[in-house]
Amino acid sequence: CFEVLAAKSGVRVQVGADETITAALARVGVKVTVSCEQGICGTCVVDLLEGDPDHRDEYLTNDERSEQIALCCSRAKSPLLVVDL
Ligand code: FES
């Protein structure tokens, strides 16, 4: 498990082992627009402000991976990710 903080919304949520970040955020009222939900289209990409992501998408380039994250499928290696939402 890890936590995600939606910085602009001021909402923090725990992401369960069987749950996506988008599903966890939806539980606490932070809506992320998704489309493919498989890490291919980039619809769910947001800016990453803090934390060590475990990228599981096929969309972002290596350069983009340091500052963005695809929320439909990626996870975290650090206990907390802070995203620009
Ligand atoms: Fe398509 Fe996340 S919804 S990459």
Side-chain angles (χ1 to χ4, degrees):
C1 286
F2 58 96
E3 286 188 314
V4 172
L5 170 65
K8 281 190 293 211
S9 315
V11 174
R12 189 172 170 140
V13 67
Q14 182 139 15
V15 183
D18 298 327
E19 186 178 44
T20 62
I21 296 177
T22 47
L25 287 170
R27 271 199 285 120
V28 292
V30 180
K31 240 188 147 200
V32 180
T33 304
V34 294
S35 179
C36 72
E37 297 190 75
Q38 292 177 32
I40 296 165
C41 71
T43 303
C44 66
V45 168
V46 300
D47 285 345
L48 177 71
L49 303 177
E50 265 183 67
D52 188 10
D54 177 5
H55 292 288
R56 306 269 179 100
D57 66 282
E58 311 273 323
Y59 177 81
L60 293 172
T61 64
N62 279 342
D63 279 354
E64 291 169 333
R65 282 176 197 275
S66 58
E67 37 193 45
Q68 293 185 298
I69 183 168
L71 295 180
C72 69
C73 53
S74 295
R75 305 197 67 78
K77 293 177 195 158
S78 54
L80 177 68
L81 291 181
V82 182
V83 296
D84 191 24
L85 271 177

mmCIF file of all heavy atoms in Angstrom, residues 33-45 57 59 70-73, ligand 1:
data_model
loop_
_atom_site.group_PDB
_atom_site.id
_atom_site.type_symbol
_atom_site.label_atom_id
_atom_site.label_comp_id
_atom_site.label_asym_id
_atom_site.label_seq_id
_atom_site.Cartn_x
_atom_site.Cartn_y
_atom_site.Cartn_z
ATOM 1 N N THR A 33 -9.998 11.873 -15.357
ATOM 2 C CA THR A 33 -10.545 11.373 -16.613
ATOM 3 C C THR A 33 -9.656 10.249 -17.137
ATOM 4 O O THR A 33 -8.447 10.401 -17.228
ATOM 5 C CB THR A 33 -10.616 12.499 -17.656
ATOM 6 O OG1 THR A 33 -11.382 13.555 -17.099
ATOM 7 C CG2 THR A 33 -11.271 12.023 -18.939
ATOM 8 N N VAL A 34 -10.268 9.119 -17.449
ATOM 9 C CA VAL A 34 -9.522 7.992 -18.006
ATOM 10 C C VAL A 34 -10.167 7.562 -19.314
ATOM 11 O O VAL A 34 -11.317 7.882 -19.587
ATOM 12 C CB VAL A 34 -9.481 6.779 -17.045
ATOM 13 C CG1 VAL A 34 -8.687 7.093 -15.801
ATOM 14 C CG2 VAL A 34 -10.871 6.292 -16.699
ATOM 15 N N SER A 35 -9.393 6.826 -20.090
ATOM 16 C CA SER A 35 -9.937 6.288 -21.335
ATOM 17 C C SER A 35 -9.562 4.816 -21.470
ATOM 18 O O SER A 35 -10.372 3.935 -21.229
ATOM 19 C CB SER A 35 -9.431 7.113 -22.514
ATOM 20 O OG SER A 35 -9.922 6.583 -23.701
ATOM 21 N N CYS A 36 -8.296 4.542 -21.811
ATOM 22 C CA CYS A 36 -7.926 3.134 -22.058
ATOM 23 C C CYS A 36 -7.795 2.342 -20.762
ATOM 24 O O CYS A 36 -8.036 1.138 -20.747
ATOM 25 C CB CYS A 36 -6.612 3.072 -22.823
ATOM 26 S SG CYS A 36 -5.158 3.525 -21.857
ATOM 27 N N GLU A 37 -7.386 2.989 -19.685
ATOM 28 C CA GLU A 37 -7.107 2.344 -18.396
ATOM 29 C C GLU A 37 -6.076 1.230 -18.500
ATOM 30 O O GLU A 37 -6.060 0.302 -17.703
ATOM 31 C CB GLU A 37 -8.398 1.832 -17.738
ATOM 32 C CG GLU A 37 -9.342 2.996 -17.428
ATOM 33 C CD GLU A 37 -10.523 2.599 -16.576
ATOM 34 O OE1 GLU A 37 -10.296 2.412 -15.373
ATOM 35 O OE2 GLU A 37 -11.630 2.461 -17.116
ATOM 36 N N GLN A 38 -5.225 1.317 -19.513
ATOM 37 C CA GLN A 38 -4.179 0.309 -19.694
ATOM 38 C C GLN A 38 -2.803 0.929 -19.898
ATOM 39 O O GLN A 38 -1.878 0.238 -20.334
ATOM 40 C CB GLN A 38 -4.509 -0.561 -20.902
ATOM 41 C CG GLN A 38 -5.725 -1.436 -20.691
ATOM 42 C CD GLN A 38 -6.052 -2.226 -21.955
ATOM 43 O OE1 GLN A 38 -5.168 -2.589 -22.723
ATOM 44 N NE2 GLN A 38 -7.324 -2.479 -22.174
ATOM 45 N N GLY A 39 -2.696 2.232 -19.649
ATOM 46 C CA GLY A 39 -1.386 2.868 -19.786
ATOM 47 C C GLY A 39 -0.963 3.142 -21.212
ATOM 48 O O GLY A 39 0.232 3.294 -21.485
ATOM 49 N N ILE A 40 -1.915 3.251 -22.114
ATOM 50 C CA ILE A 40 -1.569 3.423 -23.519
ATOM 51 C C ILE A 40 -1.893 4.816 -24.056
ATOM 52 O O ILE A 40 -1.138 5.374 -24.838
ATOM 53 C CB ILE A 40 -2.285 2.342 -24.374
ATOM 54 C CG1 ILE A 40 -1.772 0.958 -23.968
ATOM 55 C CG2 ILE A 40 -2.062 2.585 -25.873
ATOM 56 C CD1 ILE A 40 -2.628 -0.177 -24.453
ATOM 57 N N CYS A 41 -2.991 5.403 -23.633
ATOM 58 C CA CYS A 41 -3.489 6.614 -24.318
ATOM 59 C C CYS A 41 -2.986 7.931 -23.726
ATOM 60 O O CYS A 41 -2.959 8.947 -24.412
ATOM 61 C CB CYS A 41 -5.012 6.612 -24.316
ATOM 62 S SG CYS A 41 -5.735 6.922 -22.689
ATOM 63 N N GLY A 42 -2.623 7.964 -22.466
ATOM 64 C CA GLY A 42 -2.135 9.198 -21.859
ATOM 65 C C GLY A 42 -3.215 10.109 -21.290
ATOM 66 O O GLY A 42 -2.902 11.168 -20.752
ATOM 67 N N THR A 43 -4.469 9.725 -21.383
ATOM 68 C CA THR A 43 -5.560 10.568 -20.878
ATOM 69 C C THR A 43 -5.415 10.871 -19.387
ATOM 70 O O THR A 43 -5.738 11.966 -18.935
ATOM 71 C CB THR A 43 -6.915 9.862 -21.110
ATOM 72 O OG1 THR A 43 -7.038 9.587 -22.502
ATOM 73 C CG2 THR A 43 -8.089 10.731 -20.663
ATOM 74 N N CYS A 44 -4.936 9.925 -18.625
ATOM 75 C CA CYS A 44 -4.899 10.052 -17.159
ATOM 76 C C CYS A 44 -3.593 10.623 -16.639
ATOM 77 O O CYS A 44 -3.342 10.589 -15.440
ATOM 78 C CB CYS A 44 -5.105 8.676 -16.555
ATOM 79 S SG CYS A 44 -3.728 7.593 -16.960
ATOM 80 N N VAL A 45 -2.734 11.120 -17.534
ATOM 81 C CA VAL A 45 -1.417 11.611 -17.113
ATOM 82 C C VAL A 45 -1.551 12.945 -16.378
ATOM 83 O O VAL A 45 -2.259 13.842 -16.829
ATOM 84 C CB VAL A 45 -0.492 11.755 -18.338
ATOM 85 C CG1 VAL A 45 0.778 12.528 -17.972
ATOM 86 C CG2 VAL A 45 -0.122 10.391 -18.889
ATOM 87 N N ASP A 57 2.998 2.361 -17.271
ATOM 88 C CA ASP A 57 2.369 2.698 -18.550
ATOM 89 C C ASP A 57 3.355 2.493 -19.710
ATOM 90 O O ASP A 57 4.545 2.299 -19.506
ATOM 91 C CB ASP A 57 1.921 4.165 -18.533
ATOM 92 C CG ASP A 57 3.126 5.096 -18.458
ATOM 93 O OD1 ASP A 57 3.670 5.229 -17.358
ATOM 94 O OD2 ASP A 57 3.540 5.622 -19.501
ATOM 95 N N TYR A 59 3.141 4.840 -22.211
ATOM 96 C CA TYR A 59 2.867 6.107 -22.880
ATOM 97 C C TYR A 59 3.975 7.142 -22.684
ATOM 98 O O TYR A 59 4.426 7.750 -23.653
ATOM 99 C CB TYR A 59 1.534 6.663 -22.370
ATOM 100 C CG TYR A 59 1.193 8.005 -22.956
ATOM 101 C CD1 TYR A 59 0.626 8.109 -24.227
ATOM 102 C CD2 TYR A 59 1.444 9.175 -22.246
ATOM 103 C CE1 TYR A 59 0.327 9.349 -24.774
ATOM 104 C CE2 TYR A 59 1.145 10.412 -22.792
ATOM 105 C CZ TYR A 59 0.593 10.495 -24.050
ATOM 106 O OH TYR A 59 0.297 11.715 -24.588
ATOM 107 N N ALA A 70 1.082 8.311 -15.165
ATOM 108 C CA ALA A 70 -0.204 7.843 -15.696
ATOM 109 C C ALA A 70 -0.957 7.164 -14.548
ATOM 110 O O ALA A 70 -0.579 6.089 -14.081
ATOM 111 C CB ALA A 70 0.030 6.857 -16.840
ATOM 112 N N LEU A 71 -2.005 7.805 -14.089
ATOM 113 C CA LEU A 71 -2.664 7.365 -12.849
ATOM 114 C C LEU A 71 -3.521 6.117 -12.989
ATOM 115 O O LEU A 71 -3.899 5.515 -11.992
ATOM 116 C CB LEU A 71 -3.529 8.509 -12.299
ATOM 117 C CG LEU A 71 -2.765 9.757 -11.840
ATOM 118 C CD1 LEU A 71 -3.745 10.785 -11.321
ATOM 119 C CD2 LEU A 71 -1.756 9.407 -10.771
ATOM 120 N N CYS A 72 -3.840 5.694 -14.205
ATOM 121 C CA CYS A 72 -4.723 4.527 -14.353
ATOM 122 C C CYS A 72 -4.021 3.224 -14.021
ATOM 123 O O CYS A 72 -4.679 2.221 -13.749
ATOM 124 C CB CYS A 72 -5.298 4.449 -15.767
ATOM 125 S SG CYS A 72 -4.071 4.041 -17.036
ATOM 126 N N CYS A 73 -2.692 3.219 -14.062
ATOM 127 C CA CYS A 73 -2.018 1.921 -13.948
ATOM 128 C C CYS A 73 -0.741 1.961 -13.120
ATOM 129 O O CYS A 73 -0.294 0.923 -12.643
ATOM 130 C CB CYS A 73 -1.696 1.382 -15.331
ATOM 131 S SG CYS A 73 -0.788 2.570 -16.317
HETATM 132 FE FE1 FES B 1 -5.085 5.638 -20.932
HETATM 133 FE FE2 FES B 1 -4.354 5.949 -18.380
HETATM 134 S S1 FES B 1 -6.337 6.055 -19.211
HETATM 135 S S2 FES B 1 -3.077 5.780 -20.118
#
